[in-house]
Amino acid sequence: MTRAGWILMGVSWGIILVLTGWCLVRVLTSRQHWQNPKEDIAHLEHGEFGPPPDRD
Amino acid sequence: MPKRELWASRLGVVLAMAGNAVGLGNFLRFPVQAAQNGGGAFMIPYFVALLLLGVPLAWCEWAMGRLGGSHRTGSAPGVFHLLWKHPAAKYLGALGICLPLGVLTYYLYVESWSLAYSFFSLIWNMIGRTSVEDFRAFLGAYQGGGHRLGVSAIGYLFFAITIGVNYWVMSGGIARGIERLARIGMPALFLMAIGLVVRVLTLDPPSGAPPEQNVVNGLGFIWNPDLASLRNGRVWLAAAGQVFFTLSVGFGAIQCYASYLRRRDDVVVTSLSASMMNEFVEVILGATIAIPAAYVFFGHAGTVEVARSGAFNLGFAAMPSIFLRMPGGAFFGWIWFFLLFIAGLTSSVALAQPAVAFLEDELGWSHQRAVRSVWIFLFLASHIPILGFAGGALDEVDFWAGTIGLALFALVESVIFLWIFGAERAWSEIHVGAEVRLPRPFFYVMKYATPLLLAGILAAWAWQQGWDVVRMREVPPEARPWRWAARLMLIGMIAVTVALIRRAWARREKST
């Protein structure tokens, strides 16, 4: 393998490993409410469109 | 009104979305594309496409899906109708159901090959085949070459088993079916792939082979850059296509999975996590298995030939021959093909979910009825690519649904989300509940670069070869009937979906 090959492989692996690691740490340590599946979400907003329509 | 399902955990969402993206292409298509398009230099357009097309589109699809989910709609017709109050919007969403279904009609068949080969790899010694040519002939016979019906009995059996496994997973629903599969399947896939990488990196050249026929030079086969290739537009298009294909953007599947998020669940970091997990599997694991192993056993010239013969030959003809020559080959062969099957399974359930969600959300069908109907349809429709395999039906569906259709749907959704719904509103929507704010330059990338690139790719294709492809100029007359059958199948799917959308909206109006 040439030096340029090693550099391209190293840079590509580096970018991907750093970003994947950063994301995984955030995902595994986040304290957002979806870590608590039993939380009541009825009070949460539904964006500018208002609550969902009742289809039945 | 029955409660709509939600993902049970954040890690489950990331693994399920990564499972959607990680497929056979990560292990077979990517190394072949890289080797054929400039080696390490391919990574430059690849990362540019990832930054300008793949990751921004994934953020848009996650945000659109989550917004749809908070309005009890998870498929493209409902989401587009929410974003654009125009009668045509919901019909454009038909693409988000038909494209993944169209791709599934052949993907399931290829997925079933992996399952079959994982069994075969345990008994190769009994079959008595060793060379790549032997395995190429075996693959041809397995795919139905020489059979009157165009399919082998064993091939059909494994296809039916694959359909059954998919149905079984999806009948469990989102949290107990798809998420459970991802939580078990994805870590298993990582472990199996890492095990194979370690095995390949510790391979010794076969006795009598020259010393330069080693694994480091095998890595060099993929990574040594041919910088002159960057002046070739085909290389940039290949990189954009690979990024699209690997992240599964433009299918409608990400949008659908994201609809099972809660309203304030973060999509910025979570989407990036799934995308990067896919890149880890593709660039680090996928590129370090098949091509370097082929180099050790076949040398430079042999690997050039294997890479030229395409992804299927690499995975299903060259790899069995390689495993037979290495110590513990039966075990590692089983791992390789079972890994491909898991990668395929986590993708195929994701591709079927938009149709299931549409039937549940818009037509009010029960989950079991929707899943049963979709899988019976898929079982029947898959017969066209299977029976017409030798006649090019699979290639035809792959081209229209899996290549042109993806770019078209991605363009439609980016225009609806960023230009009709509005870029500022889309930007705010992406940041609802976000853990980190995206750098502002991404706003301009999403608004201008992404749709322009997509439109450019489609326009270039239409200008250069569109009409020739439509009239099958380079297809021999005897191969045309199956290709027409494939086209009619896709047109029929769109027609039926449009009729169902019409019925669903009539039902909506009746209930309001």
Side-chain angles (χ1 to χ4, degrees):
Chain A
M1 182 139 91
T2 62
R3 181 183 288 185
W6 281 113
I7 290 171
L8 274 162
M9 189 176 110
V11 170
S12 302
W13 282 37
I15 292 171
I16 288 167
L17 284 174
V18 167
L19 275 172
T20 310
W22 179 80
C23 288
L24 277 182
V25 168
R26 300 282 317 207
V27 165
L28 294 172
T29 58
S30 91
R31 299 180 62 81
Q32 285 205 327
H33 71 270
W34 63 358
Q35 300 295 86
N36 308 298
K38 288 182 182 163
E39 185 186 0
D40 179 17
I41 57 159
H43 64 285
L44 292 174
E45 70 205 76
H46 288 280
E48 58 195 275
F49 302 100
D54 188 347
R55 302 271 173 79
D56 294 331
Chain B
M1 191 161 48
K3 212 174 164 189
R4 204 163 182 276
E5 270 206 277
L6 295 167
W7 296 106
S9 68
R10 189 178 189 187
L11 186 62
V13 181
V14 172
L15 290 173
M17 284 283 197
N20 166 31
V22 173
L24 302 166
N26 293 58
F27 296 96
L28 299 177
R29 195 174 188 271
F30 173 76
V32 170
Q33 287 286 320
Q36 287 178 346
N37 291 290
F42 179 74
M43 294 313 293
I44 295 169
Y46 182 88
F47 275 117
V48 170
L50 192 68
L51 202 69
L52 298 184
L53 271 179
V55 172
L57 268 172
W59 277 321
C60 291
E61 289 198 6
W62 277 73
M64 278 189 272
R66 183 186 55 179
L67 178 64
S70 67
H71 291 263
R72 301 186 61 81
T73 185
S75 55
V79 175
F80 285 1
H81 179 75
L82 197 63
L83 298 170
W84 184 24
K85 297 294 179 201
H86 188 282
K90 56 185 177 290
Y91 295 115
L92 287 172
L95 284 176
I97 296 170
C98 294
L99 294 179
L101 283 186
V103 168
L104 269 180
T105 59
Y106 69 83
Y107 194 86
L108 289 163
Y109 187 40
V110 180
E111 188 183 317
S112 73
W113 302 352
S114 321
L115 182 63
Y117 271 59
S118 70
F119 285 98
F120 295 158
S121 57
L122 299 174
I123 54 166
W124 282 134
N125 287 329
M126 287 185 266
I127 294 174
R129 292 170 189 267
T130 50
S131 69
V132 178
E133 287 69 32
D134 282 346
F135 283 107
R136 221 170 262 169
F138 182 85
L139 179 64
Y142 177 84
Q143 289 165 341
H147 289 264
R148 194 166 51 87
L149 287 173
V151 61
S152 66
I154 191 84
Y156 196 76
L157 173 70
F158 276 100
F159 165 70
I161 294 172
T162 303
I163 290 270
V165 173
N166 274 274
Y167 171 77
W168 175 68
V169 170
M170 289 196 73
S171 62
I174 292 294
R176 282 185 304 156
I178 294 172
E179 187 170 343
R180 193 174 286 175
L181 168 74
R183 289 184 77 100
I184 298 168
M186 290 307 289
L189 181 145
F190 288 130
L191 283 178
M192 288 191 282
I194 289 168
L196 278 172
V197 166
V198 171
R199 176 70 277 229
V200 169
L201 291 178
T202 53
L203 277 176
D204 289 322
S207 59
E212 64 270 18
Q213 197 172 311
N214 56 44
V215 74
V216 171
N217 286 334
L219 287 170
F221 190 87
I222 288 190
W223 289 100
N224 287 344
D226 167 19
L227 293 172
S229 67
L230 293 178
R231 288 197 291 269
N232 186 344
R234 192 177 53 82
V235 172
W236 289 80
L237 275 179
Q242 179 60 29
V243 164
F244 237 82
F245 196 84
T246 190
L247 290 183
S248 288
V249 287
F251 273 116
I254 292 179
Q255 216 179 64
C256 184
Y257 268 13
S259 75
Y260 300 101
L261 294 171
R262 294 171 180 83
R263 175 66 189 150
R264 296 196 69 82
D265 288 345
D266 161 272
V267 298
V268 173
V269 176
T270 319
S271 164
L272 192 63
S273 305
S275 299
M276 293 322 296
M277 212 176 262
N278 174 71
E279 291 310 309
F280 174 75
V281 173
E282 175 155 297
V283 178
I284 296 182
L285 302 179
T288 314
I289 299 175
I291 292 282
Y295 197 94
V296 170
F297 287 97
F298 306 137
H300 188 87
T303 311
V304 168
E305 198 198 319
V306 165
R308 264 196 205 133
S309 66
F312 287 162
N313 271 314
L314 171 65
F316 296 95
M319 290 305 281
S321 175
I322 289 168
F323 288 124
L324 262 184
R325 297 163 200 228
M326 68 167 70
F331 174 68
F332 286 105
W334 177 81
I335 285 187
W336 166 253
F337 288 112
F338 198 66
L339 171 154
L340 291 183
F341 176 67
I342 297 287
L345 179 63
T346 51
S347 298
S348 56
V349 295
L351 293 175
Q353 187 59 28
V356 171
F358 172 76
L359 295 174
E360 284 182 85
D361 298 337
E362 308 301 345
L363 289 167
W365 289 17
S366 71
H367 178 69
Q368 293 305 331
R369 184 184 172 198
V371 171
R372 200 167 47 239
S373 305
V374 166
W375 283 97
I376 288 173
F377 168 78
L378 280 169
F379 175 72
L380 296 173
S382 298
H383 282 73
I384 290 179
I386 293 175
L387 300 179
F389 182 81
L394 187 151
D395 294 334
E396 193 70 12
V397 179
D398 178 47
F399 178 75
W400 290 108
T403 310
I404 292 295
L406 293 194
L408 183 65
F409 183 70
L411 177 63
V412 167
E413 67 180 2
S414 64
V415 167
I416 289 180
F417 192 47
L418 295 158
W419 286 88
I420 297 174
F421 181 67
E424 288 294 351
R425 293 163 82 194
W427 187 250
S428 304
E429 183 57 40
I430 288 169
H431 285 95
V432 170
E435 279 187 19
V436 294
R437 281 200 74 76
L438 291 174
R440 188 66 179 174
F442 273 112
F443 173 83
Y444 300 103
V445 167
M446 285 180 197
K447 187 175 178 186
Y448 299 107
T450 307
L452 272 176
L453 267 171
L454 288 166
I457 289 169
L458 282 169
W461 169 80
W463 177 256
Q464 286 171 358
Q465 37 178 310
W467 182 235
D468 286 345
V469 172
V470 170
R471 64 191 175 123
M472 298 192 205
R473 194 178 159 200
E474 289 176 12
V475 178
E478 64 274 16
R480 289 181 186 174
W482 275 114
R483 288 185 181 258
W484 273 113
R487 288 183 184 188
L488 287 174
M489 178 189 81
L490 291 173
I491 292 167
M493 279 167 63
I494 291 174
V496 170
T497 309
V498 164
L500 287 173
I501 291 171
R502 204 179 151 86
R503 193 172 139 194
W505 260 256
R507 182 175 172 269
R508 271 192 185 198
E509 279 166 21
K510 212 171 156 186
S511 67
T512 49

